[in-house]
Amino acid sequence: VDAVMHFAAKAVVPDSMAQPLTYYETNTVKTGVLVKTALEAGVGIFILSSTAAVYGDVGEAPVAEDTPLKPVSPYGRSKLAAEWIVEDVGRAHGLAYANLRYFNVAGADPAGRSGQSTAAATHLIKAAAQAALAKRGALEIYGTDYPTRDGTGVRDYIQVSDLTAAHIAALDHLRAGKPSLTLNIGYGRGYSVREVIDAVGQVVGQPIPVRESGRRAGDPASVVAEVARLRETLDWRPKYDDLETIAAQALAWERKL
């Protein structure tokens, strides 16, 4: 084994607000244990699943990797601390690393082999697909008074197979002896909650039932990736950068489930 990709984490922002110690133990402390174990085993490359939540509430402009980091949830803080562990160990021990900051992961394998299987999903496109197929009740819209174009939160959605390909490209980069890196993994374009719900409705051919609620603690108004560094650094180009394509994949996977 010459490389470790670390995907395991707790990743539900509202849960982290209620259970911060659980999130720090799982996302920070155990990342440290895994990095230590990798070093002891002679592993030279470490790739961490990080998150756009490290940025906090940054406004509507795309956010670059060198933007000041001000996470607003224990989830974001716990993942930022995990990044620091990886970076510090890299400097001290020569571990080559990539901290990959995911934006909102969505969709499913285009061949239908895998997809998000969480029953009580909080990811919007997954939840909208469940609502479209009557596998859950009305879809909750948390917050309609954000300073965005339609009052709902804006996010950058990255299709899961494109995300996978970015990991392989990062591994190839590090195996070639190139410098360690921290990268946004997104498309550089944001969609509001209402726009996503409309896209799923277009694919399924009927409106999605919704219910409006207040904001959730820890949710920024808008988080969209600046992706110039990603495009310039890795041999990676997205294949599924289309909201309705992503929605169709999520619906197909939900029907299969």
Side-chain angles (χ1 to χ4, degrees):
V1 176
D2 72 307
V4 167
M5 293 188 183
H6 177 30
F7 299 101
K10 289 187 176 295
V12 179
V13 169
D15 286 356
S16 81
M17 304 295 286
Q19 305 169 41
L21 287 173
T22 299
Y23 273 69
Y24 280 108
E25 180 184 8
T26 300
N27 295 349
T28 309
V29 175
K30 292 183 178 179
T31 294
V33 173
L34 182 58
V35 171
K36 181 174 183 288
T37 305
L39 276 181
E40 291 171 346
V43 170
I45 294 172
F46 197 93
I47 296 178
L48 174 70
S49 298
S50 190
T51 171
V54 300
Y55 293 115
D57 206 344
V58 291
E60 290 201 70
V63 60
E65 290 87 350
D66 55 2
T67 298
L69 305 175
K70 298 178 181 178
V72 294
S73 68
Y75 168 59
R77 292 170 184 263
S78 70
K79 295 294 275 190
L80 178 55
E83 284 193 15
W84 288 342
I85 290 171
V86 173
E87 291 171 6
D88 289 344
V89 171
R91 279 191 291 268
H93 299 287
L95 181 71
Y97 67 84
N99 288 330
L100 302 184
R101 293 173 178 164
Y102 303 1
F103 283 66
N104 284 50
V105 186
D109 169 40
R113 296 166 296 183
S114 62
Q116 190 183 356
S117 299
T118 313
T122 58
H123 287 63
L124 176 59
I125 292 178
K126 164 83 171 181
Q130 289 177 323
L133 301 177
K135 296 174 73 172
R136 67 192 294 160
L139 183 64
E140 207 88 35
I141 298 178
Y142 294 103
T144 58
D145 59 347
Y146 285 107
T148 60
R149 52 185 173 268
D150 64 13
T152 64
V154 172
R155 298 291 184 270
D156 188 335
Y157 293 88
I158 172 79
Q159 194 272 350
V160 65
S161 300
D162 281 340
L163 178 67
T164 302
H167 284 77
I168 301 301
L171 180 60
D172 290 343
H173 172 95
L174 296 174
R175 279 182 169 159
K178 295 178 181 177
S180 295
L181 40 77
T182 295
L183 289 177
N184 290 337
I185 310 294
Y187 291 144
R189 181 170 59 251
Y191 294 99
S192 73
V193 171
R194 291 195 194 279
E195 288 167 345
V196 169
I197 294 169
D198 288 346
V200 176
Q202 287 290 326
V203 172
V204 81
Q206 62 187 38
I208 308 298
V210 300
R211 182 171 59 246
E212 296 181 359
S213 299
R215 300 185 188 187
R216 295 184 301 189
D219 277 350
S222 177
V223 190
V224 177
E226 169 56 65
V227 293
R229 185 185 294 184
L230 169 64
R231 300 294 183 98
E232 293 165 2
T233 306
L234 298 186
D235 182 17
W236 176 86
R237 291 294 180 271
K239 294 181 179 179
Y240 304 103
D241 181 5
D242 177 78
L243 186 58
E244 289 196 5
T245 297
I246 294 170
Q249 292 169 352
L251 281 160
W253 174 248
E254 211 56 48
R255 290 189 175 104
K256 184 172 182 178
L257 287 178

